[in-house]
Amino acid sequence: MSRMTMIQSIRSAMDTSMARDESVVVFGEDVGYFGGVFRCTEGLQKKYGSHRCFDSPINESGIIGSAIGMAAYGLRPCVEIQFADYVFPGFDQLSQEASRIRYRSNNDFTAPMVVRMPTGGGIFGGQTHSQSPEAIFAHVSGLKTVIPSNPYDAKGLLAASIEDNDPVMFLEPKRLYNGPFDGHHDRPITPWSKHELGEVPDEYYTVPLGKAATRREGEAVTVLAYGTMVYVAEAAVEETGIDAEIIDLRTILPLDIEAIEASVKKTGRCVIVHEATKTCGFGAELMALVMEGCFYHLEAPVIRVTGYDMPYPHAHEWEYFPGPKRVGAALKKVMEA
Amino acid sequence: MSRMTMIQSIRSAMDTSMARDESVVVFGEDVGYFGGVFRCTEGLQKKYGSHRCFDSPINESGIIGSAIGMAAYGLRPCVEIQFADYVFPGFDQLSQEASRIRYRSNNDFTAPMVVRMPTGGGIFGGQTHSQSPEAIFAHVSGLKTVIPSNPYDAKGLLAASIEDNDPVMFLEPKRLYNGPFDGHHDRPITPWSKHELGEVPDEYYTVPLGKAATRREGEAVTVLAYGTMVYVAEAAVEETGIDAEIIDLRTILPLDIEAIEASVKKTGRCVIVHEATKTCGFGAELMALVMEGCFYHLEAPVIRVTGYDMPYPHAHEWEYFPGPKRVGAALKKVMEA
Amino acid sequence: MSEPKAADPKPLSLHVPEPEFRPGDKPDFSNVPIPKAGAARKPPIDVDAQDIHDLAYTIIRVMDREGNAVGPWAGELNDDEVKQGLEDMLRVRAFDARMQKAQRQGKTSFYMQALGEEAIACAFSKVLRPGDMNFPTYRQQGLLLSADYPMVDMMNQIYSNKADPLKGRQLPIMYSSKQHGFFTISGNLATQFIQGVGWAMGSAISGDDKIAASWIGDGSTAESDFHAAMVFASTYRAPAILNVVNNQWAISTFQGIARGKAATFASRGLGFGIPALRVDGNDYLAVYAVAKWAADRARAGLGPTLIEYVTYRAGAHSTSDDPSAYRPKTEFDAWPLGDPVERLKEYLIKRGTWSEARHVQANEMLEAQIAEANREAVKNGTLHDGPHASAKTMFEDVYEEMPLHIVRQRQEAGV
Amino acid sequence: MSEPKAADPKPLSLHVPEPEFRPGDKPDFSNVPIPKAGAARKPPIDVDAQDIHDLAYTIIRVMDREGNAVGPWAGELNDDEVKQGLEDMLRVRAFDARMQKAQRQGKTSFYMQALGEEAIACAFSKVLRPGDMNFPTYRQQGLLLSADYPMVDMMNQIYSNKADPLKGRQLPIMYSSKQHGFFTISGNLATQFIQGVGWAMGSAISGDDKIAASWIGDGSTAESDFHAAMVFASTYRAPAILNVVNNQWAISTFQGIARGKAATFASRGLGFGIPALRVDGNDYLAVYAVAKWAADRARAGLGPTLIEYVTYRAGAHSTSDDPSAYRPKTEFDAWPLGDPVERLKEYLIKRGTWSEARHVQANEMLEAQIAEANREAVKNGTLHDGPHASAKTMFEDVYEEMPLHIVRQRQEAGV
Ligand SMILES: Cc1ncc(C[n+]2csc(CCOP(=O)(O)OP(=O)(O)O)c2C)c(N)n1
Ligand SMILES: Cc1ncc(C[n+]2csc(CCOP(=O)(O)OP(=O)(O)O)c2C)c(N)n1
Ligand SMILES: [Mg+2]
Ligand SMILES: [Mg+2]
């Protein structure tokens, strides 16, 4: 057991997976010799050789397309897209190929692969280093989408994703890489070394895909969140003093629908929080599922707190970010309704 | 005034737009000499010259990327993607470029352009000629998305889209190209020549973007639909005898939220119908908007009737298609709730 | 920006390439230079790309107009092998003809034939070994038909019937057979070109000895995944053969819309340091020899080869297409590289091991086999009349395990 | 598939290219052939691509080691123009240094310098005319700084302050100025390469006389939009200049990860029939001459030219990067094409129209101007301390008219 940052735990997931399974290979832009611009793959090339961890040309369609071919061959590629914002040149390979190879070939071929990518804002990355594309992945049948919120989960979920026999989009909230953020951009953050979820086994383990985690039990209202927003929700709950149940979805698809339904049926109220733009964001699907599964238990309309419908602006990053103030306001509103 | 099929009215929109505005240019795969695989651009090259209507290389990123450049230059490109399924190689140019050029340059540059594409199933096109990607476009701030359901609207909306100063995704339900379908695949269809919305002025006119059309007034339940599904809804309403209000959204984004809210507040019930896969489909956003805007008026949970979450299968096309039987069942269920 | 002392500005105009012949024109290819059979040199497999630029701009040919096999690329196959090749091509042609008919009879939604370009897939299949993998387009049925893939299975898929190996999920002709080295075909163009390179990289990463072959059409080389494949193949020296089937047409669009000026598709390889060969795609012997050279290179760890097969799409693009709207009906007759079947037949007759009579006989036998397979397949159903796989299979295999939301959807569907 | 009679299978392995030197190594480029200045021929602008293959594999150079301008590409600029060029480069270098410092002082989030490759954008800007359009990457600040774009506006954007012309929406350095022929920079690589071609096509469609210049880095040529641009530019003979700035590095990745074997980036053009020139990017005179040749071609309706500028990224990739982790610190000193500023300075001194003293003086004057602009800009605010444009502007210009859902979001935000 060690204290790890999220970067270290992600690295440890790849390291332990590569150690136990020769078919695991890691590649992407700058991930080889240098170890990735966020250093998630540091040391892997040295340890496992440049045929198992290597730099790729700057071509996201090539990264994903070649990973599909390798997966069809029998390997388990775990590739890095430098920022989630840059996954779109490879989106055709994801949405039309990786996602459908099992189905269209009736299991003759499969695409067990992981596409890792840093996601979300909070580092003044502007419109091209801050996007959260999870809803777009969730709309594509055949893909799985995972978004961890802490080092322990990140390692276990990434190991499970690498083991999984379907293509998994693994979104890493970059604001959490070095510390749990604690919801406010203008206050000091707790380092992972002081956070209980920064305690990570050194050996291989998995956290199953498709299971949400209840980060806080409560009776008054259910907050559905994932990634960075888990901490924003925690801050807002603490500040408002509302007895909310905070559910960290962890996996967007497959989704732990039963956990969501059970919680909302219990509380009768729900606030959904994500950083992505609002229209057709994953919050819309959550809203729809709550409508379908819990309508008769609802005492107030569900509220979405999300990024606004525009590119992530550079200077106004923190006005754009759905912070504790906005989430707190939603909590109060849903309780007053 | 002529009777036109949807193909003819779409052609007429481009024809009249090209005639009145020299800056309108049309290109795409097979659209030049041949006039497009669905013949929507037939005759335009002959009439306006090959510099204004021409074949393009098979590269959707090139088609959309070059259109962005032309639009920045000052033209109004109206390009064709042969099937909506093939727009994804160009999705990076749409989601990261066309959609943001105005915003990121503070109006210094703009991208007035239209991307036309046949969408939806119903012609045994299998998983690669049947997709409905509207929700993915709707999630991208900066894009507009239009889906007409009849020749009159198609011409007017396409002309308005070409006139519009923002990038517009124009999705043409291919099942409607030659006739309004009438909801059942195994019954004869009415030709457009017998349909009142097949009556189309020969001259230039526009139908404004962002305004829904009420196809049927009713008191019992609101049905939100667009494209092919409008006719499925009509068939289901007729067969169940339920006094539904059918709203044809016409524009997915910007959305006529006020019309939706007014209708659902009146009826207190709502069924949403689309052909795209369910999870994170546009129905989820509609559901969320109804939750946010009409919760206290709802007498029953809103129901989505959609394509299932899997690739559009070839042999089981009509089991997959959300036909009148499924919509009818939803109408009954929402009335009984 | 300063004003340079250059010529006065003058109006520009857009150059839109046009094919030489359109419906009504009399096609005449006499100005197209066709290099003599046997003229192209055969370099060693470890040659550097920059030392064989010429081979990317010529057409490597083995059979001359008199039916002789000549030059350094000749002599790779014995008569029995060539007879097998001829039979393979005849089988593809007859199979296509039968399935075209089935589509017109309403037994399926769609069909795509390989008429005029049968030599390419048929000859290519012979250079692969068990375990190697093709990443084909929709026009390489020859790979399956010249291997031992059962025709009745192909038909079952074409009819989307209850015995369809892909359970009716895929379009007809979009086959998949790992066992036969045939990767699941995508309807989306060019995506498989880079996947094949990735597969080959996988083999190299694993210290395996298997190679991959990626396939693409002339029109589809314009797609960006062509570039991705070239970049990855050249960077990692992937053991892959990159096949461009230049059949002159992409639906209604001629190859000039994908290719600039005098450049060839093969010459695209040179900018990546990839050896590139341009070959007569209607010459079974030349296709085999060139493909073999590339396979040997790949297996020897020397990396990828780009091959352009010059051929002609003699039929319509698909059953949804009518080419008389955009090209002269007689263009194939005028096509200077002839018909691959006729040419190989003449070669064998000249060798004295074949005859018109045996040719007719072989054809009859194949047609009988195909008719028999068709009777079998039809018993399992056809697209519109069924039976199909159970509707419940539609919900399966989206993921390895069915997630709750799909379980619920299946329950709602009542299947 | 039959078993060919080839060699026994042997295990393959993956080739992963490595740069020659890593941290700790002593860089030595003496084995890199540097063609003599003046040696490359200068063809007429209407030349066919296939007749100048050699120019895609050489390095066109004008200034020799003694500071003389020699050969057919020399003699394009007079002394005043060259002096202006030197001053432009000095301005870029000093501006970059000042802004690097500002970033370290916390005045902005991020900066990217063009150290070592100033000659390219500065010389290139001189061949364009008003109305022409660049589609730049983030390393062509030289285009603005050698035109008349106000430095204080650049700084206002870098500081995202209340006078930022882009209202704080864009990253620092992602400038936009239609008036200065500078298309809004994208953070996404390569997308602008095809957009520039589309712009040029728009000019040709309209019978205009304007041309476009697309820009891309060596690493980014691997992106698929590079291919899209080549395909469209060659097909329609777009009046575009396709600029590849090969500065040897893409963040931590050397050019071998984007380029196969002995091929050059320039040689990619040949497979499309696009004339391609490879030029010494640290030689202001050569860059100007080659760019001028390409501009003349484009204006004459002869279509696109691909130019590879061979240079070296002397600084870090960005302020987020530390290159000592992946390359020797002394690599730039060993770089055989030298420093573009030093080389042009020596040329002018040799001409007798410049001196060390004037050089120092010019630098001091520029630094004073930059300091003055910086004082102005800082008055308008800086990223973390503000003031910024009003938060309400964040909701504007997503569309020409604000749709209802954004109106509601703005209301909810209370701005
Ligand atoms: C991404 C994508 N874009 C467009 C299409 C539509 N389409 C199908 S086949 C075809 C022409 C392909 O031509 P070519 O590559 O020359 O192959 P050929 O049909 O001649 O064998 C087109 C445009 C597609 N299937 N996928
Ligand atoms: C689509 C995309 N993928 C990845 C990145 C991340 N990235 C930014 S710059 C860069 C390296 C580019 O290298 P090169 O093209 O050589 O340009 P240089 O920085 O040397 O000028 C990378 C990988 C990006 N911005 N966009
Ligand atoms: Mg073709
Ligand atoms: Mg570079």
Side-chain angles (χ1 to χ4, degrees):
Chain A
M1 201 66 103
S2 310
R3 291 285 175 165
M4 295 191 194
T5 66
M6 202 134 149
I7 289 171
Q8 290 165 330
S9 82
I10 285 166
R11 188 188 301 146
S12 175
M14 288 185 272
D15 187 356
T16 52
S17 296
M18 290 173 93
R20 67 193 286 278
D21 182 352
E22 279 230 319
S23 69
V24 178
V25 295
V26 166
F27 63 101
E29 296 158 19
D30 300 295
V31 313
Y33 184 89
F34 182 55
V37 295
F38 288 103
R39 322 316 314 275
C40 290
T41 59
E42 202 186 348
L44 298 180
Q45 182 174 80
K46 209 160 191 178
K47 190 158 173 191
Y48 298 103
S50 68
H51 65 302
R52 291 187 62 200
C53 176
F54 50 90
D55 288 331
S56 80
I58 305 174
N59 184 313
E60 290 77 10
S61 187
I63 293 169
I64 294 168
S66 66
I68 292 170
M70 282 177 215
Y73 172 82
L75 298 183
R76 294 189 175 273
C78 174
V79 301
E80 176 174 308
I81 299 295
Q82 204 160 81
F83 285 85
D85 313 64
Y86 304 143
V87 75
F88 297 106
F91 186 62
D92 189 55
Q93 288 283 353
L94 286 175
S95 66
Q96 309 294 300
E97 300 290 328
S99 60
R100 294 207 300 246
I101 279 178
R102 175 190 294 282
Y103 189 79
R104 77 179 195 221
S105 75
N106 192 27
N107 289 306
D108 194 24
F109 293 93
T110 57
M113 55 190 273
V114 179
V115 184
R116 294 177 42 243
M117 60 192 99
T119 190
I123 62 157
F124 279 102
Q127 52 190 265
T128 54
H129 304 85
S130 307
Q131 292 171 56
S132 299
E134 66 274 8
I136 291 181
F137 298 141
H139 189 47
V140 178
S141 310
L143 299 182
K144 295 182 175 176
T145 301
V146 176
I147 312 181
S149 70
N150 59 71
Y152 181 87
D153 281 0
K155 177 168 173 183
L157 289 167
L158 181 52
S161 299
I162 291 172
E163 250 191 23
D164 199 274
N165 288 325
D166 288 308
V168 181
M169 309 295 101
F170 195 84
L171 278 62
E172 302 167 1
K174 66 177 85 68
R175 179 68 206 202
L176 303 182
Y177 269 155
N178 290 306
F181 179 53
D182 301 339
H184 289 276
H185 71 282
D186 45 5
R187 300 189 197 161
I189 56 163
T190 319
W192 282 120
S193 58
K194 300 247 162 65
H195 197 283
E196 62 165 333
L197 291 168
E199 190 135 315
V200 178
D202 292 309
E203 60 276 14
Y204 182 86
Y205 67 92
T206 59
V207 170
L209 305 191
K211 290 270 160 262
T214 303
R215 294 286 165 216
R216 182 190 193 283
E217 295 199 2
E219 300 295 323
V221 47
T222 301
V223 182
L224 303 177
Y226 47 90
T228 313
M229 292 301 123
V230 170
Y231 303 94
V232 174
E234 284 175 350
V237 166
E238 198 178 315
E239 287 159 21
T240 57
I242 291 168
D243 183 26
E245 180 144 301
I246 301 177
I247 297 186
D248 176 354
L249 298 177
R250 301 202 289 197
T251 309
I252 289 303
L253 201 126
L255 184 66
D256 195 345
I257 303 176
E258 284 163 333
I260 295 169
E261 287 174 350
S263 177
V264 177
K265 281 181 181 165
K266 178 177 77 172
T267 62
R269 291 181 159 85
C270 182
V271 169
I272 296 162
V273 194
H274 63 64
E275 205 177 337
T277 52
K278 185 172 201 169
T279 298
C280 278
F282 194 68
E285 179 61 30
L286 291 171
M287 193 83 114
L289 290 170
V290 169
M291 167 82 86
E292 286 163 351
C294 315
F295 180 77
Y296 295 107
H297 296 79
L298 284 181
E299 312 207 9
V302 182
I303 300 181
R304 291 184 282 181
V305 186
T306 71
Y308 299 117
D309 281 331
M310 64 214 50
Y312 220 119
H314 180 246
H316 298 107
E317 167 143 53
W318 295 110
E319 282 95 338
Y320 181 90
F321 184 85
K325 207 176 124 205
R326 285 176 62 202
V327 176
L331 285 171
K332 283 187 211 146
K333 190 171 161 197
V334 83
M335 289 315 298
E336 282 157 15
Chain B
M1 202 64 105
S2 310
R3 292 284 176 164
M4 295 191 195
T5 66
M6 201 133 150
I7 290 170
Q8 290 164 330
S9 82
I10 286 166
R11 187 188 302 145
S12 175
M14 287 186 271
D15 187 356
T16 51
S17 296
M18 290 174 91
R20 68 194 286 276
D21 182 352
E22 281 229 318
S23 69
V24 178
V25 295
V26 167
F27 63 101
E29 295 159 19
D30 299 294
V31 312
Y33 184 89
F34 183 56
V37 293
F38 287 103
R39 322 317 314 276
C40 290
T41 58
E42 201 187 351
L44 298 180
Q45 182 174 80
K46 209 161 191 174
K47 191 159 171 189
Y48 297 103
S50 68
H51 64 302
R52 290 188 62 201
C53 176
F54 50 90
D55 288 330
S56 79
I58 305 174
N59 184 313
E60 290 77 11
S61 187
I63 293 171
I64 294 167
S66 67
I68 292 170
M70 282 178 215
Y73 172 83
L75 299 183
R76 292 188 176 275
C78 174
V79 302
E80 176 174 307
I81 299 295
Q82 205 160 78
F83 285 85
D85 313 64
Y86 305 143
V87 74
F88 297 106
F91 186 62
D92 189 55
Q93 287 283 351
L94 286 174
S95 66
Q96 308 296 299
E97 298 291 327
S99 60
R100 294 208 299 245
I101 281 179
R102 175 191 293 283
Y103 189 78
R104 78 180 195 221
S105 75
N106 192 26
N107 289 305
D108 194 25
F109 293 93
T110 58
M113 56 190 271
V114 179
V115 185
R116 293 178 42 243
M117 60 194 97
T119 189
I123 61 158
F124 279 103
Q127 52 192 265
T128 55
H129 304 84
S130 306
Q131 292 170 57
S132 299
E134 67 274 8
I136 291 180
F137 298 142
H139 189 47
V140 178
S141 310
L143 299 181
K144 295 183 176 176
T145 301
V146 176
I147 312 181
S149 70
N150 59 71
Y152 180 87
D153 281 359
K155 178 168 174 183
L157 288 167
L158 181 53
S161 300
I162 293 172
E163 249 190 22
D164 199 274
N165 287 325
D166 288 309
V168 182
M169 309 296 100
F170 195 83
L171 277 62
E172 302 168 0
K174 65 177 85 68
R175 178 70 205 201
L176 303 180
Y177 269 154
N178 291 305
F181 179 54
D182 300 340
H184 288 276
H185 72 283
D186 46 5
R187 300 189 197 162
I189 56 163
T190 320
W192 282 121
S193 59
K194 298 249 161 65
H195 197 284
E196 61 164 334
L197 291 167
E199 191 135 311
V200 179
D202 293 310
E203 60 276 16
Y204 181 87
Y205 67 92
T206 59
V207 170
L209 305 190
K211 290 270 159 260
T214 304
R215 293 286 165 217
R216 182 190 191 283
E217 295 199 1
E219 300 296 323
V221 47
T222 300
V223 182
L224 302 178
Y226 46 89
T228 313
M229 292 301 123
V230 170
Y231 303 94
V232 174
E234 284 175 351
V237 167
E238 199 178 313
E239 287 159 23
T240 56
I242 292 169
D243 183 25
E245 180 145 301
I246 301 178
I247 298 187
D248 177 355
L249 298 177
R250 301 202 289 198
T251 309
I252 289 301
L253 200 126
L255 184 67
D256 196 344
I257 303 175
E258 284 162 334
I260 295 169
E261 287 174 349
S263 177
V264 177
K265 281 180 182 166
K266 180 178 77 173
T267 63
R269 290 181 159 85
C270 182
V271 169
I272 295 163
V273 194
H274 63 64
E275 206 177 336
T277 51
K278 186 172 200 171
T279 298
C280 278
F282 194 67
E285 179 60 31
L286 291 171
M287 193 83 115
L289 290 170
V290 169
M291 168 80 86
E292 286 162 352
C294 315
F295 179 77
Y296 294 106
H297 297 79
L298 284 182
E299 313 207 8
V302 181
I303 300 180
R304 290 184 283 181
V305 186
T306 71
Y308 299 117
D309 280 331
M310 65 213 49
Y312 220 119
H314 180 245
H316 298 107
E317 167 143 54
W318 295 111
E319 281 94 339
Y320 181 91
F321 184 86
K325 206 176 124 205
R326 285 176 61 201
V327 176
L331 285 171
K332 284 187 211 148
K333 189 171 163 197
V334 82
M335 290 313 299
E336 281 157 17
Chain C
M1 268 163 287
S2 71
E3 192 72 22
K5 332 118 219 189
D8 269 352
K10 62 168 202 178
L12 295 160
S13 67
L14 191 75
H15 169 75
V16 180
E18 271 294 314
E20 277 206 81
F21 313 109
R22 286 294 195 187
D25 295 339
K26 196 174 140 44
D28 172 6
F29 293 102
S30 56
N31 65 335
V32 178
I34 303 292
K36 269 175 91 107
R41 66 198 172 104
K42 182 172 183 178
I45 59 169
D46 61 351
V47 71
D48 265 354
Q50 66 260 50
D51 296 331
I52 53 164
H53 275 201
D54 52 317
L55 295 180
Y57 290 92
T58 185
I59 304 181
I60 298 170
R61 306 177 68 231
V62 167
M63 284 188 277
D64 69 15
R65 290 187 194 283
E66 285 73 46
N68 303 302
V70 294
W73 295 90
E76 295 272 351
L77 293 168
N78 65 34
D79 284 348
D80 283 345
E81 288 167 327
V82 177
K83 266 186 266 180
Q84 182 61 50
L86 180 62
E87 196 187 293
D88 290 341
M89 288 200 283
L90 287 174
R91 189 183 305 109
V92 173
R93 191 165 286 189
F95 184 90
D96 278 353
R98 186 65 195 80
M99 292 299 100
Q100 287 271 119
K101 193 170 136 199
Q103 192 273 343
R104 278 195 302 272
Q105 291 168 336
K107 290 202 177 71
T108 187
S109 55
F110 182 73
Y111 192 72
M112 296 180 95
Q113 53 178 339
L115 189 69
E117 48 193 275
E118 295 91 345
I120 300 163
C122 289
F124 189 88
S125 76
K126 305 300 182 191
V127 310
L128 294 188
R129 295 177 180 165
D132 292 341
M133 188 63 67
N134 284 289
F135 286 73
T137 81
Y138 44 73
R139 239 183 269 286
Q140 276 85 51
Q141 53 266 59
L143 295 172
L144 289 174
L145 283 165
S146 59
D148 52 351
Y149 190 76
M151 287 195 288
V152 64
D153 282 350
M154 293 173 76
M155 290 169 172
N156 285 333
Q157 182 177 341
I158 291 165
Y159 296 152
S160 279
N161 64 26
K162 73 175 193 315
D164 175 355
L166 305 186
K167 296 193 177 142
R169 290 178 190 152
Q170 238 320 5
L171 282 174
I173 78 161
M174 303 269 170
Y175 314 106
S176 173
S177 177
K178 191 176 205 165
Q179 197 194 328
H180 295 82
F182 196 95
F183 188 71
T184 158
I185 298 181
S186 176
N188 300 56
L189 297 171
T191 48
Q192 76 290 345
F193 214 60
I194 170 68
Q195 292 165 7
V197 172
W199 194 100
M201 288 171 67
S203 173
I205 288 169
S206 309
D208 197 352
D209 58 12
K210 304 295 181 290
I211 66 170
S214 287
W215 295 84
I216 203 166
D218 50 316
S220 306
T221 61
E223 286 285 10
S224 289
D225 278 341
F226 175 80
H227 182 69
M230 300 300 282
V231 172
F232 276 66
S234 64
T235 299
Y236 302 109
R237 297 191 198 151
I241 309 177
L242 304 168
N243 292 316
V244 177
V245 180
N246 177 4
N247 64 6
Q248 313 300 317
W249 289 93
I251 311 186
S252 75
T253 306
F254 86 120
Q255 53 150 327
I257 295 286
R259 187 185 52 74
K261 285 191 105 177
T264 62
F265 294 106
S267 70
R268 298 257 165 99
L270 305 176
F272 297 86
I274 297 179
L277 307 175
R278 195 155 180 261
V279 59
D280 179 346
N282 290 6
D283 179 337
Y284 185 95
L285 303 180
V287 170
Y288 178 85
V290 163
K292 176 77 169 42
W293 188 88
D296 287 348
R297 260 181 63 75
R299 290 194 184 107
L302 294 164
T305 307
L306 180 68
I307 307 177
E308 174 182 350
Y309 303 93
V310 183
T311 183
Y312 187 88
R313 193 197 80 209
H317 171 71
S318 73
T319 48
S320 311
D321 177 47
D322 172 12
S324 70
Y326 52 79
R327 68 182 191 188
K329 283 192 177 142
T330 55
E331 208 173 74
F332 180 51
D333 305 328
W335 176 246
L337 296 178
D339 177 327
V341 172
E342 289 304 311
R343 285 174 65 191
L344 200 62
K345 178 181 118 188
E346 273 156 41
Y347 164 82
L348 280 171
I349 292 176
K350 181 103 187 207
R351 298 274 302 169
T353 60
W354 197 249
S355 67
E356 290 288 352
R358 285 189 64 175
H359 196 77
V360 170
Q361 208 179 8
N363 238 332
E364 281 168 357
M365 190 197 67
L366 287 164
E367 276 165 13
Q369 283 172 7
I370 290 164
E372 172 55 25
N374 194 50
R375 270 188 298 275
E376 277 302 303
V378 168
K379 279 188 209 152
N380 297 319
T382 58
L383 176 63
H384 297 296
D385 298 333
H388 310 125
S390 143
K392 119 175 170 307
T393 61
M394 171 171 97
F395 295 88
E396 293 165 359
D397 309 315
V398 184
Y399 300 92
E400 188 178 38
E401 280 171 47
M402 195 181 295
L404 180 59
H405 67 286
I406 300 184
V407 172
R408 287 186 178 176
Q409 290 175 22
R410 193 192 55 190
Q411 284 163 350
E412 197 194 293
V415 291
Chain D
M1 269 165 287
S2 69
E3 192 70 22
K5 332 122 219 185
D8 268 351
K10 60 167 203 176
L12 296 160
S13 66
L14 192 74
H15 169 76
V16 179
E18 271 293 315
E20 277 206 81
F21 313 110
R22 286 294 194 188
D25 295 339
K26 195 175 141 45
D28 172 7
F29 294 103
S30 55
N31 65 334
V32 178
I34 303 294
K36 269 174 93 108
R41 66 199 172 106
K42 182 172 184 179
I45 58 169
D46 60 352
V47 70
D48 266 353
Q50 67 260 50
D51 296 332
I52 52 165
H53 275 200
D54 52 316
L55 295 180
Y57 291 91
T58 185
I59 304 180
I60 299 170
R61 307 176 67 231
V62 168
M63 283 187 280
D64 68 15
R65 290 188 193 280
E66 285 74 46
N68 304 302
V70 293
W73 295 90
E76 294 272 351
L77 293 167
N78 65 34
D79 285 348
D80 283 345
E81 290 167 327
V82 178
K83 267 185 264 179
Q84 181 62 50
L86 180 62
E87 197 188 291
D88 291 340
M89 289 199 283
L90 287 173
R91 189 183 306 108
V92 172
R93 191 164 287 190
F95 184 90
D96 278 353
R98 187 66 195 78
M99 292 298 98
Q100 287 271 118
K101 192 170 136 199
Q103 192 274 343
R104 278 195 300 271
Q105 292 169 334
K107 291 201 176 73
T108 186
S109 55
F110 183 74
Y111 191 73
M112 296 180 97
Q113 52 179 338
L115 189 70
E117 47 192 276
E118 296 91 345
I120 300 163
C122 289
F124 190 89
S125 76
K126 305 300 183 192
V127 309
L128 294 188
R129 295 176 179 165
D132 293 341
M133 188 63 67
N134 283 290
F135 286 73
T137 80
Y138 44 72
R139 239 183 270 285
Q140 276 85 50
Q141 53 266 59
L143 295 171
L144 289 173
L145 284 165
S146 60
D148 52 350
Y149 190 77
M151 288 194 289
V152 63
D153 282 350
M154 294 173 75
M155 291 167 173
N156 285 333
Q157 181 176 342
I158 290 165
Y159 296 152
S160 278
N161 63 27
K162 74 173 191 314
D164 175 354
L166 306 185
K167 296 192 177 143
R169 288 178 191 153
Q170 237 322 4
L171 283 174
I173 78 160
M174 302 270 171
Y175 314 106
S176 173
S177 177
K178 192 177 205 164
Q179 196 194 330
H180 296 82
F182 196 95
F183 187 71
T184 157
I185 297 182
S186 176
N188 301 55
L189 297 171
T191 48
Q192 77 290 344
F193 213 59
I194 171 68
Q195 292 166 5
V197 172
W199 194 100
M201 288 172 66
S203 173
I205 288 168
S206 309
D208 197 351
D209 58 11
K210 303 295 180 290
I211 67 171
S214 286
W215 294 84
I216 203 166
D218 51 315
S220 306
T221 61
E223 286 285 9
S224 290
D225 278 341
F226 175 80
H227 182 69
M230 300 300 283
V231 172
F232 275 66
S234 65
T235 299
Y236 303 110
R237 296 190 197 151
I241 309 178
L242 303 168
N243 292 316
V244 177
V245 180
N246 176 4
N247 64 7
Q248 313 300 318
W249 289 92
I251 311 186
S252 75
T253 307
F254 86 120
Q255 53 150 327
I257 296 285
R259 186 186 52 77
K261 283 192 106 177
T264 61
F265 294 106
S267 70
R268 299 256 165 101
L270 304 175
F272 298 86
I274 298 180
L277 306 175
R278 194 155 181 262
V279 59
D280 179 346
N282 290 6
D283 178 338
Y284 186 94
L285 304 180
V287 169
Y288 178 85
V290 163
K292 177 76 169 47
W293 187 89
D296 287 348
R297 261 181 64 76
R299 292 196 182 104
L302 295 165
T305 307
L306 180 69
I307 307 177
E308 173 183 350
Y309 304 92
V310 183
T311 182
Y312 186 88
R313 194 197 78 208
H317 171 71
S318 73
T319 48
S320 313
D321 177 47
D322 172 12
S324 71
Y326 51 80
R327 68 182 191 188
K329 283 194 176 138
T330 54
E331 206 173 73
F332 180 51
D333 305 326
W335 176 245
L337 296 177
D339 177 327
V341 172
E342 288 304 310
R343 285 174 66 192
L344 200 61
K345 177 180 118 188
E346 272 156 40
Y347 165 82
L348 281 171
I349 291 176
K350 181 105 188 205
R351 298 274 302 168
T353 60
W354 197 249
S355 67
E356 290 288 354
R358 285 190 63 177
H359 196 76
V360 170
Q361 207 180 11
N363 238 332
E364 281 168 358
M365 190 197 67
L366 286 164
E367 274 165 14
Q369 282 172 9
I370 290 163
E372 171 57 25
N374 194 50
R375 272 189 297 275
E376 277 302 302
V378 167
K379 278 188 210 152
N380 298 318
T382 57
L383 175 63
H384 298 296
D385 298 333
H388 310 123
S390 142
K392 121 175 167 308
T393 61
M394 172 171 97
F395 295 88
E396 292 164 0
D397 308 314
V398 184
Y399 299 91
E400 188 178 38
E401 281 172 45
M402 195 181 294
L404 181 58
H405 67 287
I406 300 184
V407 172
R408 287 186 177 176
Q409 289 175 20
R410 192 191 56 192
Q411 284 164 350
E412 198 192 292
V415 292

